[in-house]
Amino acid sequence: MITFLSGGTGTPKLLQGARKVLDDPEISVIVNTGEDIRYQGGHISPDVDTVTYLFAGILNTTTWWGIAGDTFTTHGIIREYLPDAFISIGDLDRAFQIIRADLLEKGLTLTEVTREICRHLGISANIVPMSNDRWTTLVRTAAGDMHFQEYWVRHRGNIPLTAVIHDPIPCPPAAPGALDAIRRAETVIIGPSNPVTSILPILSCSGIREELQGKKVIAVSPFIGDQPVSGPAGQLMEVMGYQADSSGVMKMYEGIVDLFIQDTRDPVHVPGAARYDTLMKTPEIAGNLMRAILSHT
Amino acid sequence: MITFLSGGTGTPKLLQGARKVLDDPEISVIVNTGEDIRYQGGHISPDVDTVTYLFAGILNTTTWWGIAGDTFTTHGIIREYLPDAFISIGDLDRAFQIIRADLLEKGLTLTEVTREICRHLGISANIVPMSNDRWTTLVRTAAGDMHFQEYWVRHRGNIPLTAVIHDPIPCPPAAPGALDAIRRAETVIIGPSNPVTSILPILSCSGIREELQGKKVIAVSPFIGDQPVSGPAGQLMEVMGYQADSSGVMKMYEGIVDLFIQDTRDPVHVPGAARYDTLMKTPEIAGNLMRAILSHT
């Protein structure tokens, strides 16, 4: 069993490659839920949705969120009335958000809800949220504290940040299924997701770091030079006091990671790192990267 | 100004006729909200929706609920996962329920939300909910108390009732706009809606009965013999201790109504009633009924 720690864009690309090399039942994914948000009566779990849709073969891999070929009938009306409706939700996508909210309200845990959706979609990989409890990533700006989705989707990351805040404090326990997925793993792979908003929340859930001790952990850097492969990692790294490059990522993962992987083009030197093409412009390149990673296990 | 008291099926048919005789700005409609329900994160106001869609020219007049030509993309997925999702919601229809829930959450009253939706849809008739406060119609059954929508939509009215219950007690004040619509009316028309679940809730809102005093009020019976023209009026009338026919309806409206209108085919004799074709199988027949009613004003 190979277990991934995943956010919503970089790691799913690597998972696309993993599916070329491994069978789905050999794959576990512990997914960040720090960007979960109650929205228009549904419960959006953006990273869980992306990973789930990927394994179901229905992910829109142009945008890396939402469902391929989805329509936006409901959203099209809503945005005429509610100019602050900043998340575009497809009609199929919305169904899963309503189903999640409904099942949570009936008392199921987020792990159980995710399992139920995976079962319906015929997914044989093991997808588990990092925690069954809410742990929300907020950012502090001159306009006040806001949900990360508001910063990233509404403001497109174009406002200065002064801090990253997690709510509530202390962070909740990891979901038992997440700890179990590490326990059963031969290797744990920290994918090239946003270190601050995707990976750090997972690592912060109580129990995760302890469970990672003694495991072989391989991390893939999401940076090439000072440019993150996708998303707003740079500003967030700096706000957290880390250098916005692979060396900062390695520092953040210190004491956890056994092998660090950088892109061949990355000008930053991280001692001991292995280097491969991490840009994953095609599923084939992602498959090659995955094969290279597994050659170290 | 002609002001109607309306539920969700019979009176909207009469309103379709009214629009052939009157200009929309001459029409006010006070709408029952006793069947309002929070559902899948939206706020459904079934009767307000039907009346609104009618005046916007987008009502599905085959079913008399929902929007003509609507798709059911989201609902199609939801019902696979949630067998208890008993209300089929179209994608466009769902948008208005989400908009309503959002604006209510932002602190607007139901009257203001309705006005906002009407403005967007270019409606010049005056559509006002009976109250800005929740007042829900429940029915008591052997399986427990349930929302009227659950009884009528999920169980299709096929379970025995022992009581009609309104929650909360006492009933709330009428919306100021509803009282104003009566005050400004030359004539008030109680349409052929379900007397128990559509009209009685409106009449119960505090202030409505007082405002109706001194107004010319014309009521159209929803019964022909012991058969309601549509919906579950029969069982509900009996549970309330009224005869399930036009005489029971007249008794229920006693002290309010100046002129009672029955169908020409109705075998029940109500003294002093005028008789017309009330079945409204076509918009033309509805228009004729409306002309006949107005001939008494």
Side-chain angles (χ1 to χ4, degrees):
Chain A
M1 168 85 75
I2 306 291
T3 294
F4 294 79
L5 311 193
S6 182
T9 309
T11 309
K13 283 185 181 166
L14 185 59
L15 289 168
Q16 199 183 35
R19 298 186 76 205
K20 296 193 161 290
V21 183
L22 301 165
D23 292 331
D24 282 357
E26 301 176 82
I27 301 173
S28 275
V29 192
I30 300 171
V31 189
N32 168 48
T33 57
E35 294 174 34
D36 283 25
I37 187 169
R38 291 286 314 205
Y39 187 74
Q40 294 178 352
H43 179 111
I44 310 184
S45 192
D47 296 351
V48 172
D49 280 336
T50 294
V51 172
T52 303
Y53 299 158
L54 174 75
F55 279 94
I58 59 175
L59 179 66
N60 180 339
T61 51
T62 305
T63 55
W64 288 86
W65 60 265
I67 293 174
D70 207 352
T71 50
F72 290 80
T73 312
T74 304
H75 180 70
I77 301 290
I78 289 174
R79 69 178 171 193
E80 290 178 26
Y81 288 76
L82 307 176
D84 60 348
F86 62 93
I87 307 178
S88 298
I89 300 173
D91 298 319
L92 294 170
D93 201 11
R94 186 184 299 277
F96 290 99
Q97 299 165 8
I98 292 171
I99 290 162
R100 184 179 291 117
D102 183 278
L103 294 177
L104 288 171
E105 203 173 306
K106 284 174 178 145
L108 273 69
T109 64
L110 192 56
T111 302
E112 290 167 333
V113 172
T114 305
R115 196 183 300 137
E116 179 70 7
I117 291 174
C118 286
R119 190 179 64 75
H120 264 270
L121 290 172
I123 293 171
S124 55
N126 177 40
I127 302 172
V128 277
M130 66 184 199
S131 178
N132 287 322
D133 300 301
R134 183 180 74 79
W135 203 54
T136 308
T137 302
L138 305 168
V139 291
R140 182 153 290 166
T141 75
D145 295 350
M146 62 179 74
H147 192 284
F148 178 75
Q149 285 281 320
E150 194 173 346
Y151 161 72
W152 181 235
V153 180
R154 177 187 285 178
H155 297 286
R156 297 169 193 278
N158 287 329
I159 44 174
L161 303 182
T162 56
V164 176
I165 298 160
H166 297 285
D167 176 66
I169 296 294
C171 70
L179 297 178
D180 188 59
I182 297 175
R183 209 168 292 136
R184 287 160 55 208
E186 296 141 35
T187 302
V188 175
I189 298 174
I190 301 179
S193 286
N194 188 319
V196 176
T197 56
S198 298
I199 304 301
L200 212 58
I202 301 176
L203 295 176
S204 303
C205 290
S206 66
I208 294 280
R209 278 176 187 269
E210 293 74 2
E211 208 63 60
L212 286 173
Q213 296 306 323
K215 284 287 168 186
K216 174 140 195 163
V217 180
I218 301 175
V220 182
S221 174
F223 278 93
I224 301 180
D226 59 0
Q227 292 303 307
V229 170
S230 70
Q235 204 187 350
L236 290 157
M237 292 284 287
E238 283 166 5
V239 161
M240 297 286 287
Y242 291 96
Q243 203 138 330
D245 62 18
S246 287
S247 69
V249 177
M250 183 60 220
K251 196 163 169 57
M252 193 178 276
Y253 296 163
E254 213 158 44
I256 293 173
V257 164
D258 299 295
L259 177 66
F260 192 72
I261 291 174
Q262 290 180 266
D263 192 81
T264 44
R265 287 149 288 200
D266 192 344
V268 175
H269 175 66
V270 175
R275 289 190 174 250
Y276 300 104
D277 181 355
T278 66
L279 212 45
M280 297 186 281
K281 284 190 174 167
T282 66
E284 287 63 39
I285 296 174
N288 292 340
L289 175 58
M290 197 58 215
R291 260 178 229 105
I293 293 171
L294 291 176
S295 73
H296 291 274
T297 64
Chain B
M1 169 84 73
I2 306 292
T3 295
F4 294 79
L5 311 193
S6 182
T9 308
T11 309
K13 284 186 182 167
L14 184 60
L15 288 168
Q16 199 182 35
R19 298 186 77 204
K20 296 192 162 291
V21 184
L22 301 164
D23 291 330
D24 282 356
E26 301 176 83
I27 301 174
S28 274
V29 191
I30 300 170
V31 189
N32 169 48
T33 58
E35 294 173 33
D36 282 25
I37 187 168
R38 290 288 310 205
Y39 188 74
Q40 294 178 352
H43 180 113
I44 310 183
S45 192
D47 296 351
V48 172
D49 280 335
T50 294
V51 172
T52 304
Y53 299 158
L54 173 75
F55 278 94
I58 60 176
L59 178 66
N60 179 340
T61 51
T62 306
T63 56
W64 288 85
W65 60 265
I67 293 173
D70 207 352
T71 50
F72 290 81
T73 312
T74 305
H75 179 70
I77 301 289
I78 289 175
R79 70 176 171 195
E80 290 177 27
Y81 288 76
L82 308 175
D84 59 346
F86 62 92
I87 307 178
S88 300
I89 301 173
D91 298 318
L92 294 170
D93 200 9
R94 186 183 299 279
F96 290 100
Q97 299 165 8
I98 292 171
I99 291 161
R100 184 179 291 118
D102 183 276
L103 294 176
L104 287 172
E105 203 173 305
K106 284 174 180 147
L108 272 71
T109 65
L110 191 57
T111 302
E112 290 166 335
V113 172
T114 306
R115 195 183 300 136
E116 179 69 5
I117 291 175
C118 286
R119 190 180 62 77
H120 264 270
L121 290 171
I123 293 171
S124 55
N126 177 41
I127 302 173
V128 278
M130 66 186 199
S131 177
N132 288 321
D133 300 301
R134 184 180 74 80
W135 203 54
T136 307
T137 303
L138 305 167
V139 292
R140 182 153 288 168
T141 75
D145 294 350
M146 64 180 73
H147 193 283
F148 179 73
Q149 284 282 319
E150 195 174 346
Y151 160 72
W152 180 235
V153 180
R154 177 188 284 178
H155 297 286
R156 296 168 191 280
N158 286 327
I159 43 174
L161 303 182
T162 57
V164 175
I165 299 160
H166 297 285
D167 176 65
I169 297 294
C171 70
L179 297 178
D180 188 59
I182 297 174
R183 209 169 291 137
R184 287 160 54 209
E186 297 141 33
T187 302
V188 176
I189 297 175
I190 301 179
S193 286
N194 188 318
V196 176
T197 57
S198 298
I199 304 302
L200 212 58
I202 302 175
L203 295 177
S204 303
C205 289
S206 65
I208 293 281
R209 278 177 188 269
E210 293 73 2
E211 207 62 61
L212 286 173
Q213 297 304 323
K215 283 287 168 185
K216 174 141 197 164
V217 180
I218 301 176
V220 181
S221 175
F223 279 92
I224 301 179
D226 58 1
Q227 292 302 307
V229 170
S230 71
Q235 205 188 351
L236 289 158
M237 292 285 287
E238 283 165 4
V239 161
M240 297 286 286
Y242 291 97
Q243 201 137 332
D245 62 18
S246 287
S247 69
V249 177
M250 183 60 220
K251 196 164 171 55
M252 191 178 278
Y253 297 162
E254 213 158 42
I256 294 173
V257 165
D258 299 294
L259 175 68
F260 193 71
I261 291 174
Q262 290 179 269
D263 192 82
T264 44
R265 287 149 289 200
D266 192 344
V268 175
H269 174 67
V270 174
R275 290 188 174 249
Y276 299 104
D277 181 354
T278 66
L279 212 45
M280 297 186 281
K281 284 190 174 168
T282 67
E284 287 64 40
I285 297 173
N288 292 340
L289 175 58
M290 197 58 218
R291 260 177 230 106
I293 292 171
L294 291 177
S295 73
H296 292 274
T297 64

